[in-house]
Amino acid sequence: EVQLLESGGGLVQPGGSLRLSCRGSGFIFSSYAMTWVRQAPGKGLEWVSGISGSGTNINYIDSVKGRFTTSRDNSRNTLYLQMNSLRVEDTAVYYCAKELNYYASGRGSDSWGQGTLVTVSS
Amino acid sequence: QSAPTQPRSVSGSPGQSVTISCTGTSGDVGGYQYVSWYQQSPGKAPKLMIFDVNKRPSGISDRFSGSKSGNTAFLTISGLQADDEADYYCSAYAGRYSGVFGGGTRLTVL
């Protein structure tokens, strides 16, 4: 059974940093692209970032470029999202999701984590 | 990139069919055969219902079907059931290893 377990969320002040982790199990982690999606309270889903299976191809939504960094450690079956210079508008539940393919994020995610809440507030 | 447009809400009675639209651009919905649809119930993670425009994952009822015409994709749910009530999101590949979600549609089963 495919499982994705996120961790690292919490309360942080504006300008602060957090690192989210997402550990995968039940599948060959390195064979799939991975995606970060967030959902602000009462709002819709927003694609944040994606990374190919090898870690070579990475992209971000414009609003987080230069502040967030996505990476993966295939030896540890773990996906990361380093979030710096956090803003109030980054407050959301952050989900990691496994893509259906190896090459690129955004083509369809068949397994999702339970989500981790990031609250940016003073 | 801007989010594809979905109706904020749709409704139907049990047994009826409803169709949800997702209108994007030639850079996302219209440019690739990578449109997905997700169902999300309150407090839960999204669930993949349709991928590659019209394919169903294993275990998804054939009451759910997808299609696309130009820059608009469609999700049709036939034989509406009470537990279909949820939020539905389209998603599309937007090129350069990125994706985009539609704004979401609340389905109410009357």
Side-chain angles (χ1 to χ4, degrees), chain A residues 37 39 43-47 50 57-62 95 100 103-110 112-114, chain B residues 1 34 36 38 40 43-48 51-52 89 91-103:
Chain A
V37 175
Q39 187 168 35
K43 302 297 184 183
L45 301 174
E46 182 175 51
W47 183 91
N57 300 317
I58 307 173
N59 208 346
Y60 306 89
I61 194 171
D62 285 348
Y95 295 99
L100 288 164
Y103 297 102
S105 173
R107 297 185 180 180
S109 298
D110 61 343
W112 294 65
Q114 81 286 358
Chain B
Q1 63 267 57
Y34 296 120
S36 305
Y38 299 87
Q40 188 182 34
K44 299 286 187 66
K47 177 181 179 181
L48 180 66
F51 68 98
D52 291 357
Y89 295 89
S91 172
Y93 183 62
R96 298 191 176 186
Y97 315 107
S98 69
V100 63
F101 283 93

Side-chain angles (χ1 to χ4, degrees), chain A residues 83-97:
Chain A
M83 304 185 292
N84 298 331
S85 302
L86 281 162
R87 304 169 180 167
V88 170
E89 55 265 35
D90 295 320
T91 295
V93 172
Y94 284 73
Y95 295 99
C96 67

Side-chain angles (χ1 to χ4, degrees), chain A residues 2 6-7 22 29 46 48 60 64 70 72 74 83 102 114 122:
Chain A
V2 172
E6 296 121 338
S7 60
C22 169
F29 187 78
E46 182 175 51
V48 174
Y60 306 89
V64 309
T70 293
R72 64 190 296 161
N74 287 339
M83 304 185 292
Y102 169 83
Q114 81 286 358
S122 55

Side-chain angles (χ1 to χ4, degrees), chain B residues 3-107:
Chain B
T5 301
Q6 298 182 231
R8 290 186 65 97
S9 65
V10 297
S11 62
S13 299
Q16 287 187 331
S17 294
V18 295
T19 296
I20 301 170
S21 61
C22 169
T23 301
T25 69
S26 59
D28 42 59
V29 175
Y32 308 92
Q33 290 297 102
Y34 296 120
V35 176
S36 305
W37 290 91
Y38 299 87
Q39 177 192 68
Q40 188 182 34
S41 299
K44 299 286 187 66
K47 177 181 179 181
L48 180 66
M49 306 302 285
I50 295 287
F51 68 98
D52 291 357
V53 176
N54 57 15
K55 298 177 182 175
R56 282 186 307 276
S58 173
I60 300 301
S61 169
D62 60 4
R63 297 188 300 107
F64 292 83
S65 61
S67 62
K68 190 180 81 164
S69 178
N71 295 338
T72 300
F74 302 93
L75 172 70
T76 298
I77 308 170
S78 60
L80 268 180
Q81 299 178 358
D83 61 2
D84 295 332
E85 189 162 288
D87 293 326
Y88 290 85
Y89 295 89
C90 66
S91 172
Y93 183 62
R96 298 191 176 186
Y97 315 107
S98 69
V100 63
F101 283 93
T105 299
R106 173 71 52 89
L107 169 63

